[in-house]
Amino acid sequence: MLPICYDPYSGTLGRFQRAEIFQLVADAGYEGINIPVNNAFLGEMSSNEIVDAVKLADKHNLVAPTIGFGNHILTTPSKRDEALRHFEIVLDVACRFNAEFIGVWVNPSEGVSRQDSLETLAANLSKMVPVCQENDLKIALEFQKGCPLDNYREGIDFITDTGLPVYLTCDTYHLFNDNADPHTAALAMEKCLGDVHVSGSDRGEPGGGSFDFETFAKGLSEIEFSGPLVVQYKMQDIDSIKRSCDFTSKFKEMILR
């Protein structure tokens, strides 16, 4: 319940080798790690690279409940075939890690309208979801200001309108930028919240900035949220990796009250 995971995001990915990242995450006290399926983390994304990552997770006793769809093209009409080929790799990674969620950032595509972007996303998801269901996997869509799913309300509407059995990733940074009430947002996402990204309101380490974590925790508690808490921020100070874990542990305690 509520596994605390680290996402090798900006400041981590590209700065450290894969084995170093696993070591840093384990030493800081995390229970798990997000696996981004991209070249920066999995090299050529070959079977050997994936096996190496699985072995590192086993070595450090880290779970990987979330797998990142690293090729951000699911909204791009001209790249549907490429997107589904990448999905095959992501699916393989997710199955090897016994993951629960495949996380999708709903990216803006240059020169593509919001309507066409969402229609393309829905078409791709309609092919991905049945395969995910066969493998006990769920897809979580991340909303963000300026993207085809600008906020949690649009995310809920997309799920309702398409009827697709997908979920939402709620990032505290994006929630803050939407000026949304954290408690209201949590309650609204009750039936479709998959995982939570934990970040400072300035994309710094969690706990920094102005986001109201206590109010958000109250809402998450009321909806009995039990999904992964994924720490995602621009890491500059290595010591912040442990501080972020410690802060998120306190956030988890607030949720479980």
Side-chain angles (χ1 to χ4, degrees), residues 10-166:
S10 174
T12 300
L13 202 59
R15 178 176 175 183
F16 300 100
Q17 297 297 315
R18 184 166 58 229
E20 293 176 310
I21 292 173
F22 276 94
Q23 185 72 60
L24 286 168
V25 172
D27 289 347
Y30 288 87
E31 300 164 279
I33 185 170
N34 174 64
I35 304 295
V37 182
N38 56 30
N39 298 120
F41 193 74
L42 289 178
E44 297 178 355
M45 295 181 281
S46 65
S47 179
N48 288 340
E49 297 270 17
I50 298 168
V51 168
D52 178 68
V54 172
K55 288 181 178 178
L56 285 168
D58 290 342
K59 175 184 176 181
H60 294 290
N61 295 312
L62 293 170
V63 297
T66 60
I67 306 297
F69 196 99
N71 199 349
H72 305 307
I73 55 174
L74 281 173
T75 65
T76 309
S78 63
K79 295 187 176 182
R80 289 189 185 184
D81 291 342
E82 183 181 344
L84 293 176
R85 286 196 298 271
H86 184 65
F87 169 65
E88 293 178 2
I89 300 173
V90 174
L91 177 68
D92 180 36
V93 175
C95 289
R96 291 185 192 231
F97 277 96
N98 295 314
E100 182 179 3
F101 289 99
I102 291 174
V104 172
W105 176 55
V106 183
N107 61 293
S109 295
E110 186 175 356
V112 180
S113 70
R114 177 176 183 270
Q115 181 177 347
D116 287 345
S117 293
L118 292 182
E119 287 179 356
T120 301
L121 176 65
N124 283 325
L125 291 175
S126 68
K127 295 182 179 180
M128 294 162 57
V129 166
V131 182
C132 285
Q133 291 178 323
E134 291 173 4
N135 291 278
D136 295 321
L137 284 162
K138 304 169 186 175
I139 295 175
L141 308 176
E142 183 174 3
F143 54 85
Q144 179 179 339
K145 301 303 294 180
C147 291
L149 295 181
D150 180 88
N151 53 67
Y152 76 88
R153 298 172 299 282
E154 291 187 358
I156 294 171
D157 287 345
F158 175 80
I159 293 172
T160 301
D161 293 344
T162 62
L164 289 165
V166 295

